[in-house]
Amino acid sequence: MNGTAVSTVSTVVTGLGVTAPNGLGTQDYWAATRDGRSGIGRVTRFDPSGYPARLAGEVPGFVASEHLPSRLLPQTDHMTKLALVAADWALADAGVRPDELSGYDMGVVTASSSGGFEFGQNELQALWSKGSKYVSAYQSFAWFYAVNTGQISIRNGMQGPSAALVSDHAGGLDAIAQARRQIRKGTPVTVTGAIDASICSYGWICHLASGRISTADDPDRAYLPFDARAGGYVPGEGGALFVLEEAQAARDRGARVYGEIAGYASTFDPKPGTGGEPGLRRTIELALDDAGAAPADIDVVFADAAAVPELDRIEADALAAVFGPHGIPVTAPKTMTGRLYSGAAPLDVAAALLAIRDGVIPPTVNTSPDPAYALDLVTGAPRAARLRSALVLARGYGGFNAAMVVRSA
Amino acid sequence: MEERKFTIEELKAVLRACAGEEESVDLDGQILDTEFEDLGYDSLALLEAGGRIEREYGITLGDEALNDAPTPRALLEIVNTRLLGVDAA
């Protein structure tokens, strides 16, 4: 692409920071994901034996004190520690030095689905078991939905337009889209994406309340989207953060570009019981329009993959409506991580960008697709393919739909 | 009753435990008269430290005492005054 008129509105990804259950750091995550290696196992962050669900995707090998100054450790939840480190990695990957830029030229937009649950749980336990004097002053913000945005902003001196989006699993895409808006309005650098982590007993009962959590004990049979045996999903922790920049500015400074955030849309499902069509198909069509892409221009779909039969049906129907039955390769690498709430879709965006770079579609593991869904689901082994554009889908509890097109720049 | 005294070493232990330590600051240097802000501790860190001192030493400091103590020396004086009050009671 060499048209300057287009490049002035193009937003590109120049840095990745990944913390995932099957790999800490982009390299480990992508190596495991290409190979189909899962990070799902029995919960270790608390004793799950008394709960109906006992499997999770936990980020391995993360020792916060190896990455963060001691000043930050007592005031941050696990999810914020992961997010601060992922942001550091994304900035280093992009070759962006925040101390060399004006604070107002850098913004932070993240999503969160639950806030700092583990921190909050510990302080609430201190409150009712020992009294108010035992509650940390840091509880005032450490639990909060916006805390990852705030802590990344403070750590890196980023004073530009910033926000936090809360729309469950759809939030990660909503955040990236909001960051793209800020780039288009003239903020040169934005850190965006999402990291969620709420694998603690308090978080667990909240997840269970959705009725969508798998109660299986075999990690290979617990999370089977688009399979006739689908019985809910496995929760996970982690996600991905990105550095976004305007395309021409990124090229001018010689940055390595992973790809373009080419299109996005979000919709809300009709009220249950009113008989309206779910919003997902329209979300996909609007995101393609926003990218200036036809269905034939999309090379692969990273599915939301709820593994709840009705939701799998809705997603398969939407894909068939837009792309035709078996009309496009579909994958769900989140079968190796569990669903990471707001972190899930950003992790899929990272996977999509790396898939485009390497010309390979990572597989969906464990699932034997039900033929009734009419999907070309990439299962078992990675599939080599020439990829230029990928569509990432995400749905949040309560009717949130989001779709994003990423494209090689 | 044996007189209890809150020392700079104890204060440093409390600060490290509940608010960590700024990398560019040497807490083991001459810090008695260095303002907390210059040691890398904001008001929330001091609130957290004050809460810990109150619990561990059985005294009440209150927010105003923390606001009135810009340096470790000032905070030590306030805490030790309170400790005398506790011992006298």
Side-chain angles (χ1 to χ4, degrees), chain A residues 70-71 133-134 136-138 141, chain B residues 18-21 40 44-45 48 55:
Chain A
S70 68
R71 267 304 265 114
K133 281 190 178 310
Y134 288 81
S136 168
Y138 293 119
F141 59 71
Chain B
C18 64
E21 185 173 2
L44 211 53
E48 185 75 357
R55 298 195 303 263

Side-chain angles (χ1 to χ4, degrees), chain B:
Chain B
M1 191 169 174
E2 189 185 342
E3 188 181 329
R4 297 177 70 195
K5 200 154 165 59
F6 185 62
T7 67
I8 184 69
E9 292 305 321
E10 289 170 306
L11 174 59
K12 288 193 294 195
V14 166
L15 288 168
R16 283 184 171 122
C18 64
E21 185 173 2
E22 194 69 45
E23 282 168 344
S24 59
V25 171
D26 178 15
L27 277 191
D28 291 322
Q30 295 296 321
I31 63 160
L32 269 175
D33 297 305
T34 309
E35 299 215 350
F36 283 115
E37 199 179 322
D38 295 327
L39 294 172
Y41 296 113
D42 51 24
S43 59
L44 211 53
L46 293 177
L47 198 61
E48 185 75 357
R52 167 103 38 148
I53 293 167
E54 287 185 339
R55 298 195 303 263
E56 292 189 0
Y57 293 85
I59 58 173
T60 303
L61 290 171
D63 297 349
E64 279 159 31
L66 292 171
N67 291 337
D68 291 345
T71 64
R73 187 188 299 279
L75 183 57
L76 290 179
E77 279 174 17
I78 291 171
V79 172
N80 282 315
T81 304
R82 296 283 203 284
L83 282 171
L84 283 175
V86 170
D87 289 344

